[in-house]
Amino acid sequence: MDIATISGLVLAITVIITALILDGGSPAELFAAPAAIILIFGGSIGATIVTSPLKTALKLPIFIMQAFKTNKFDAKGDIELLTKLADKARREGLLALEEDSRKINDKFLKKGIMMIVDGVEPEQVSAILETTVDQMKTRHKQGIGFFTAAGAFAPTFGIIGTVMGLISVLKQLDNPAALGEAIASAFLATLWGLLTANLIYLPIAGKLKSKSEEEAQNRYMQLEGIISIQAGENPRIVRDKLTAYLTPSEVKEEGEADKKAPAGNTGKAQA
Amino acid sequence: MDIATISGLVLAITVIITALILDGGSPAELFAAPAAIILIFGGSIGATIVTSPLKTALKLPIFIMQAFKTNKFDAKGDIELLTKLADKARREGLLALEEDSRKINDKFLKKGIMMIVDGVEPEQVSAILETTVDQMKTRHKQGIGFFTAAGAFAPTFGIIGTVMGLISVLKQLDNPAALGEAIASAFLATLWGLLTANLIYLPIAGKLKSKSEEEAQNRYMQLEGIISIQAGENPRIVRDKLTAYLTPSEVKEEGEADKKAPAGNTGKAQA
Amino acid sequence: MDIATISGLVLAITVIITALILDGGSPAELFAAPAAIILIFGGSIGATIVTSPLKTALKLPIFIMQAFKTNKFDAKGDIELLTKLADKARREGLLALEEDSRKINDKFLKKGIMMIVDGVEPEQVSAILETTVDQMKTRHKQGIGFFTAAGAFAPTFGIIGTVMGLISVLKQLDNPAALGEAIASAFLATLWGLLTANLIYLPIAGKLKSKSEEEAQNRYMQLEGIISIQAGENPRIVRDKLTAYLTPSEVKEEGEADKKAPAGNTGKAQA
Amino acid sequence: MDIATISGLVLAITVIITALILDGGSPAELFAAPAAIILIFGGSIGATIVTSPLKTALKLPIFIMQAFKTNKFDAKGDIELLTKLADKARREGLLALEEDSRKINDKFLKKGIMMIVDGVEPEQVSAILETTVDQMKTRHKQGIGFFTAAGAFAPTFGIIGTVMGLISVLKQLDNPAALGEAIASAFLATLWGLLTANLIYLPIAGKLKSKSEEEAQNRYMQLEGIISIQAGENPRIVRDKLTAYLTPSEVKEEGEADKKAPAGNTGKAQA
Amino acid sequence: MDIATISGLVLAITVIITALILDGGSPAELFAAPAAIILIFGGSIGATIVTSPLKTALKLPIFIMQAFKTNKFDAKGDIELLTKLADKARREGLLALEEDSRKINDKFLKKGIMMIVDGVEPEQVSAILETTVDQMKTRHKQGIGFFTAAGAFAPTFGIIGTVMGLISVLKQLDNPAALGEAIASAFLATLWGLLTANLIYLPIAGKLKSKSEEEAQNRYMQLEGIISIQAGENPRIVRDKLTAYLTPSEVKEEGEADKKAPAGNTGKAQA
């Protein structure tokens, strides 16, 4: 479970309920205008579905679930593994990685190592892996785009609902007693439009975007490691290259492990 | 028919009518201010036509139809075909593809295969095909731009209509009885501006954009296949390259077919 | 005359006048607040002039005229001409184009052909022609920027005018009789701000932008043709390359002409 | 003095005063709410200073002065000079430019010519000069960013001021006599926010941006000339290359001068 | 301490308090609606946390602290050091820099010099250092994105709070006495939304962004210096290259130091 998604939602909903109660109202009042709620959800999702390809619309529940799941990337474990493979490849040749490639769970990494074992040309390996990452980003963008669009449509449908409510209020100006209640009810549409956009659609869009970027970063690190192994680079350099993807605090913990790394003969100074 | 476009529109219109009825009104009231409707449609389309080249404006009905039609891209069929051609080209030479190229229905793919049969230089082939895709994207962008502009103009003309309505209301403050009705009528312009933008213009712009991206993706996959065939690449690599354009779920189904693919001799490991 | 610009403007102005009359008013009322009109035009143009280089501000009438003129690009004629020149250059050498270059009216095309006749290095030719197109785009961008800025300033000056009007209304609350009229007059400033932005500034900015893109496309096509001729490419390839800039419907008409094109010996298949 | 900056400001301020007088008020009323004026200037500049590096904030007066000064770029003079130097370098060698380089006033041009006289490698020359232009653009962007940020903060602080004013008005509803005056005063904050943003901050940001682009264009032209001289290119080509940076109208006047240019032997046709 | 951050905040808060007092109120009134304050802070931070990865959310206090700390980059000291190292490397070989690299405090610079001492290939050195800078920029972007998102959510939650307040007001229209107070209280939410966005979130986002750009510039300068040393470039050229990163005013002071720089034999003119 993604703790940030849950705790952020809980915090926001709690303060809204608290504010309602402090204002002398009750959360139940929010549900006093079913017409508004139907309009905001139906209108914003309807308009967004028109905007999207059908298969994106059908993947809606998957996208929501992804916003609540944690991305599980073990960057340090990947660096450890790729450094070990670089060392082995240098000592025993690329074909020696065949056995190791079978044990890898990560599909992307496995595909990459298998291709270099198969002797696919370096340019082809990086072209295929880059296309895979690009296509992943394209698919993610569709999900992000869906929630961004919904987050833009929802407040507008809120205003549409309020204007529709006000128009029917204005036609009954002869009954001033019910006027306040009716106007209040009209404004509930604006409220629902703003709340769904700012508590559901836009935060989910933002979360999907940051998850997508995190995954892409991880893939690019793996890609760089695979290419380096194929090029027969020194394991120490491979480790240095991949460590550059870590944050300084992660690198610090990495520090000691570094000393134990397989060294090989590097130092050909160019004076 | 594009089911997402239809079902999204039906959903949105249904909830608007439902909300109107639940608010104690009727859908007919929306049509109570013909001046507003004329102003919003005429104004937003008029301003957008000024913005556009004449030929884009004349293609308006075609753009709308495209938003309702399904894109028919058979990525897997294309991969199958291109892998088969790659295999044949490797065994029998590029000239052997002449007969196959005549049977291809897709104009873009046919043009590409015919060029490599004709012995056009690789850089020329990819330059010509890339220009074709770029020009397609440019034409699509004009259609998308048309509806995006209309979606930006419509709410503004809605406000223009409402301000015009309120100004004539303010001049007749001496007749308070008709006041509510007149103000309600003025706000109908805002409503129509928002509804046309958010139910028609912007969703169609979004749909045209996602269709254009889908088509461009498909063209780039075909382009990569054509270039790979001309370069005499191994059919297995061609298949791997093109498969990277598929989603993971599509790849899974692809799995078994993969085993039957023409293999050729690949494995020249670089130890 | 650019028919889209004219007809779009006529449509938009007609519906505004129609809506005013249907609302029981008259177009003359729009001109009831000369202060608002002066403020909106003077304010938005004044602020935009500060934003712009002096020479852009002085070219204002030229920019407006350009939005009403048709771009006259004969893409098919250019393709015909460039294919003919490619054929001649291949048979008789680049120097043989000298006579043809003198007959060309289009300055850009003429300059390009003259440079290849003069034996200027290919990289220089394309550098000089690209700089020419880039500079053209930079100049166009200034004009587009001028109208975009005016379109952003105008509604704001409309709001400034309305706030100024409301402030003077609020100081005379003791005369309720004239109140409605005064508020209506204040809102006329908002109306003029929105109308000038959405009927004049933004549509002209959009038109200038689409005209600029059309011209740049045409120049890039000519540039590619010139470079291809200098490289001594096969006329058939030159035609294919340039035809990729046309729309599919234009290509269809082009179809028959293609068969009569000078062919040369192409087919050196790379088996 | 930059005439566009001055005349734009004079025009905008004149129409605002005119509109105020036509509305039956006087310009002095704008200064009736000193609290609003303090809030708008202090708030928008305070928030912008937080946004900026200290040294950008301290250069504020310099940025304002730059918006009022004319850029003095003599593109034609530069072309004349660079063509002359190209001719001399070709005839007498690069070292012969040493004396000329001392007479150049423009620091950028001088530095470039001195480097080629010193025999610095071509890649280094263009790297150093490009870094210089990039750093100049980065510094300019900070100034532009300062005014753009202030232009975004000012209207918001205007609304903050108005809301603060309305809140204190609402607490004194028991004195209806002073109500109009108090509300009018509250709206003065909105007016000042809009006026400072649209008459000062945003136009200055726009002016600084167009000046920066103009300067960068000029620098790129000089850079291209310097590189061409170092490469020993034909003076005629140097002139052609640099002339591509001029507008068509400037080129026309240039026409006669062109004929007198040092020609050299160009025409080595590649048939 | 970053003086701009502090003084900007003090200025903005001072003018707000001054404006409140001049309007006849007191700063204490701002805190009259605890519900609004809870809603604005909880809502905007809650929604932003959903948007962000957990580790970004946890680094919130670090990001705030960074906005108040000064970046300490000694560009001139770095240039001095790198020029000295370039000179030493040219005379004594890259291995001679080992001792110097141990004394460097800056981790990035130290890592770079150590890699060239270790004889890592130039492409690897620049790949590793560029990845390090890119990852730093990616991390910074997350912090900037956090405050930008919060700055977008806060005013919206302000409007949500006001609409919620107005709805409960409208239900109690029968008590006109308390009406003004209640509406005023509802508008406090808008005020807090605007104030937190424009005094806290957006200025901090802007400051983090300008600090990040400053750091990246500094890193690119160091990177260019390291690469130049490894390439064995002339110390004078190294100094020229790095000096191009300084502002003209910094260069002026640099002027005299320049004359004392280790010169080496440069001048191999290419006539």
Side-chain angles (χ1 to χ4, degrees), chain A:
Chain A
M1 290 290 281
D2 187 311
I3 302 172
T5 305
I6 304 292
S7 56
L9 269 181
V10 169
L11 171 57
I13 293 173
T14 309
V15 296
I16 287 169
I17 295 175
T18 310
L20 269 174
I21 294 174
L22 283 175
D23 273 1
S26 91
E29 285 170 19
L30 280 178
F31 299 90
I37 302 174
I38 291 169
L39 177 70
I40 273 58
F41 276 100
S44 60
I45 290 176
T48 310
I49 286 175
V50 178
T51 306
S52 307
L54 186 59
K55 57 182 179 188
T56 305
L58 292 176
K59 272 193 256 166
L60 193 55
I62 297 176
F63 286 128
I64 296 177
M65 269 172 53
Q66 277 177 346
F68 282 91
K69 269 198 291 188
T70 339
N71 268 359
K72 277 174 197 144
F73 298 119
D74 178 11
K76 288 186 202 170
D78 286 349
I79 295 178
E80 215 52 53
L81 176 64
L82 287 163
T83 311
K84 213 187 69 192
L85 294 179
D87 187 47
K88 191 169 183 181
R90 219 172 143 108
R91 283 188 287 102
E92 310 174 26
L94 286 169
L95 286 171
L97 302 184
E98 188 161 19
E99 198 190 352
D100 301 82
S101 77
R102 285 205 204 100
K103 294 183 211 146
I104 300 172
N105 284 321
D106 186 299
K107 276 184 192 173
F108 182 84
L109 206 49
K110 184 177 207 156
K111 189 178 174 190
I113 300 293
M114 282 176 74
M115 277 194 293
I116 61 174
V117 168
D118 282 0
V120 177
E121 297 288 321
E123 308 82 55
Q124 314 278 24
V125 173
S126 82
I128 291 173
L129 294 180
E130 270 170 23
T131 305
T132 307
V133 181
D134 286 351
Q135 289 298 314
M136 182 201 80
K137 278 157 71 175
T138 302
R139 281 195 309 280
H140 287 184
K141 245 181 224 170
Q142 289 173 344
I144 296 163
F146 191 92
F147 287 96
T148 308
F153 281 124
T156 319
F157 276 94
I159 296 173
I160 287 174
T162 297
V163 173
M164 273 166 41
L166 288 180
I167 288 175
S168 53
V169 167
L170 284 163
K171 294 194 174 155
Q172 309 161 335
L173 282 183
D174 43 351
N175 180 7
L179 210 68
E181 195 87 11
I183 296 176
S185 168
F187 273 105
L188 269 178
T190 297
L191 199 57
W192 273 96
L194 291 170
L195 284 175
T196 51
N198 289 283
L199 283 185
I200 303 178
Y201 301 136
L202 295 179
I204 287 184
K207 175 67 88 187
L208 290 175
K209 198 174 162 218
S210 68
K211 270 187 198 299
S212 175
E213 280 165 6
E214 206 184 338
E215 188 167 349
Q217 284 290 325
N218 195 261
R219 292 308 186 204
Y220 286 129
M221 191 196 74
Q222 296 178 339
L223 202 160
E224 186 148 3
I226 292 164
I227 300 297
S228 298
I229 291 174
Q230 189 172 26
E233 282 178 14
N234 186 302
R236 201 194 156 102
I237 301 294
V238 173
R239 175 185 289 278
D240 271 9
K241 266 187 174 176
L242 303 187
T243 305
Y245 283 90
L246 300 180
T247 62
S249 59
E250 288 172 324
V251 174
K252 213 168 281 172
E253 308 164 30
E254 190 79 345
E256 288 98 54
D258 194 39
K259 290 164 193 160
K260 302 173 234 151
N265 52 340
T266 342
K268 216 179 51 185
Q270 317 155 288

Side-chain angles (χ1 to χ4, degrees), chain D residues 153-170:
Chain D
F153 281 124
T156 320
F157 276 95
I159 296 174
I160 288 175
T162 298
V163 173
M164 273 166 42
L166 288 180
I167 288 175
S168 53
V169 167
L170 284 163

Side-chain angles (χ1 to χ4, degrees), chain B residues 50 52 94 118 124 135 156, chain C residues 198 207 217 233 241 267 270:
Chain B
V50 178
S52 307
L94 286 169
D118 282 359
Q124 315 279 24
Q135 290 299 314
T156 319
Chain C
N198 289 282
K207 177 64 88 189
Q217 284 292 324
E233 283 179 14
K241 267 189 175 176
Q270 319 155 287

Side-chain angles (χ1 to χ4, degrees), chain B residues 35 38-39 42-43 46-47 49-53 94-95 118 120 124 128 131-132 135 139 153 156 160 164 170-171 173 230, chain C residues 4-5 8-9 15-16 22 29 180 183-184 191 194 198 203 206-207 210 217 233 237 241 244-245 247-248 267 269-270:
Chain B
I38 292 169
L39 177 70
I49 286 175
V50 178
T51 306
S52 307
L94 286 169
L95 285 172
D118 282 359
V120 177
Q124 315 279 24
I128 290 172
T131 304
T132 307
Q135 290 299 314
R139 280 195 310 280
F153 280 124
T156 319
I160 288 174
M164 272 165 42
L170 284 163
K171 294 194 174 154
L173 283 183
Q230 190 173 25
Chain C
T5 303
L9 268 181
V15 295
I16 286 169
L22 284 175
E29 286 170 18
I183 295 176
L191 199 57
L194 291 171
N198 289 282
K207 177 64 88 189
S210 69
Q217 284 292 324
E233 283 179 14
I237 301 294
K241 267 189 175 176
Y245 283 90
T247 62
Q270 319 155 287

